[in-house]
Amino acid sequence: MKNLLTDIAGVSVGHADDAAIASGVTAIIFDKRAVASIDVRGGGPGTREEALLAPQSAMEAIDAITLSGGSALGLDAAGGVQAWLAERGRGFRVRDAVVPIVPGAICFDLLNGGNKAWGRFPPYRDLGYAAADAAAGDFHLGSVGAGMGATTAGLKGGLGSASAQTDDGVMVAALAVVNAVGSVTVGTGPWFWAAPFEVGSEFGGRGLPPSFTPDMLKIRLKGGPQATAAENTTLVVVVTDAQLTKPQAKRLAMIAQTGMARAIYPVHAPTDGDVVFAAATGAKPIDPQFGLTTLGAVAANTVARAIARGVYAATALPFPGALPSWQDRFG
């Protein structure tokens, strides 16, 4: 196991980013169409094909998921991933027509110091195509892809991933783009809120502080009173090799949201756009009650770990006034 989303067989991940604009795209590509759903808890989400993922909607499976910076402008990225899939004849077939199904979500990174004067059309469609074309079994964490321009309260955000296995041998993995209004670390120290769920020293092995002071529990918000719904979001993709129906995928996404609360303080705020996609490749049967509950619990822990790993691996942007990375401050 690589402790990545691609530990799930049949899943590949690719990044494309532009250092000059300090933004990018991440594409999650499924070798075979996957059952999927979505759970949205943040107050300011930006999504594509959200309604299609509802349990009552007719579309049962998807071809890819796209995560992007750029706020609403970044929703174009999924069109680039669609183009890459269409060139390969992949998608939902209606007689002679083929339509790739590519849901997506965005985070706001337009005020991070990068040059956003890109002309008439933003670059996200092209970045989406490049991200799909780069999809592979190994991929980098930190300030890459959709996490290139991400930030949190006080520290540079980024893209993280983690994987785990239930006692029954079902695999689950998560990928997170951490651009939260809240803090991923306790107070002003090096400890991650997700520390109880850390495996080995995957995000530094610092554990939790020996005790909590009132200052550690003080709520720290990116932008303070000036924060807006557009500026913050944590995007998560959870994938399992279990056999799930679409309503079960929805339930998995809902349970997995718990991982955000274990890793970010505060979370699901009016100024967040928190989204969890859940997808299932269908390789292994699972008990619909206790098996799904256990899978959801492990998925939530894995989401918390992926969030911490994204901040742990991030590097600061090379612009005046840019937030420091965790490594800059504590590494």
Side-chain angles (χ1 to χ4, degrees), residues 203-228:
F203 42 88
R206 300 293 185 96
L208 289 173
S211 62
F212 284 82
T213 66
D215 183 67
M216 290 176 179
L217 298 176
K218 180 180 179 180
I219 295 174
R220 292 171 168 82
L221 302 178
K222 182 171 66 180
Q226 289 74 43
T228 71

Side-chain angles (χ1 to χ4, degrees), residues 40-44 153 177-184 193 219-221 232-236 256-276 303-304 307:
V40 181
R41 301 283 175 95
V177 176
V178 189
N179 189 55
V181 67
S183 177
V184 178
W193 289 108
I219 295 174
R220 292 171 168 82
L221 302 178
N232 311 287
T233 287
T234 298
L235 309 175
V236 170
Q257 282 271 14
T258 310
M260 286 199 194
R262 295 171 181 170
I264 303 170
Y265 176 73
V267 72
H268 300 154
T271 50
D272 276 317
D274 301 331
V275 172
V276 172
V303 167
I307 290 169

Side-chain angles (χ1 to χ4, degrees), residues 141-143 156-161 176 178 305-314:
L141 306 183
S143 300
K156 177 70 174 71
L159 182 144
S161 192
V178 189
R305 293 166 50 213
I307 290 169
R309 291 191 80 202
V311 174
Y312 179 73

Side-chain angles (χ1 to χ4, degrees), residues 175-198:
L175 182 150
V177 176
V178 189
N179 189 55
V181 67
S183 177
V184 178
T185 53
V186 179
T188 58
W191 313 282
F192 285 95
W193 289 108
F197 310 100
E198 186 173 14

Side-chain angles (χ1 to χ4, degrees), residues 3-153:
N3 206 20
L4 297 174
L5 191 75
T6 49
D7 284 330
I8 307 299
V11 180
S12 57
V13 173
H15 301 312
D17 44 57
D18 186 328
I21 69 171
S23 189
V25 173
T26 296
I28 296 95
I29 308 293
F30 300 103
D31 288 353
K32 297 180 180 179
R33 307 189 76 231
V35 173
S37 192
I38 189 173
D39 188 54
V40 181
R41 301 283 175 95
T47 59
R48 181 182 190 270
E49 301 280 33
E50 179 182 343
L52 178 147
L53 294 171
Q56 69 271 20
S57 296
M59 184 63 61
E60 285 294 331
I62 64 173
D63 299 287
I65 296 172
T66 306
L67 308 179
S68 178
S71 190
L73 299 169
L75 291 173
D76 284 349
V81 177
Q82 272 190 315
W84 185 88
L85 290 164
E87 287 178 348
R88 288 151 181 81
R90 297 184 52 190
F92 177 67
R93 293 186 174 273
V94 184
R95 296 190 293 277
D96 293 333
V98 179
V99 182
I101 305 300
V102 185
I106 51 84
C107 63
F108 185 100
D109 58 5
L110 300 180
L111 299 176
N112 59 15
N115 179 15
K116 307 303 192 293
W118 44 57
R120 176 174 293 180
F121 297 111
Y124 293 101
R125 182 180 174 88
D126 289 337
L127 287 170
Y129 185 96
D133 202 45
D138 289 307
F139 60 94
H140 293 294
L141 306 183
S143 300
V144 294
M148 164 68 82
T151 55
T152 71

Side-chain angles (χ1 to χ4, degrees), residues 242-316:
Q243 293 177 9
L244 298 182
T245 64
K246 199 173 178 185
Q248 288 171 333
K250 171 71 172 181
R251 180 57 55 183
L252 177 61
M254 294 171 68
I255 302 174
Q257 282 271 14
T258 310
M260 286 199 194
R262 295 171 181 170
I264 303 170
Y265 176 73
V267 72
H268 300 154
T271 50
D272 276 317
D274 301 331
V275 172
V276 172
F277 295 94
T281 62
K284 299 173 183 175
I286 189 172
D287 178 83
Q289 295 182 6
F290 295 108
L292 180 58
T293 301
T294 299
L295 179 63
V298 175
N301 295 347
T302 308
V303 167
R305 293 166 50 213
I307 290 169
R309 291 191 80 202
V311 174
Y312 179 73
T315 54

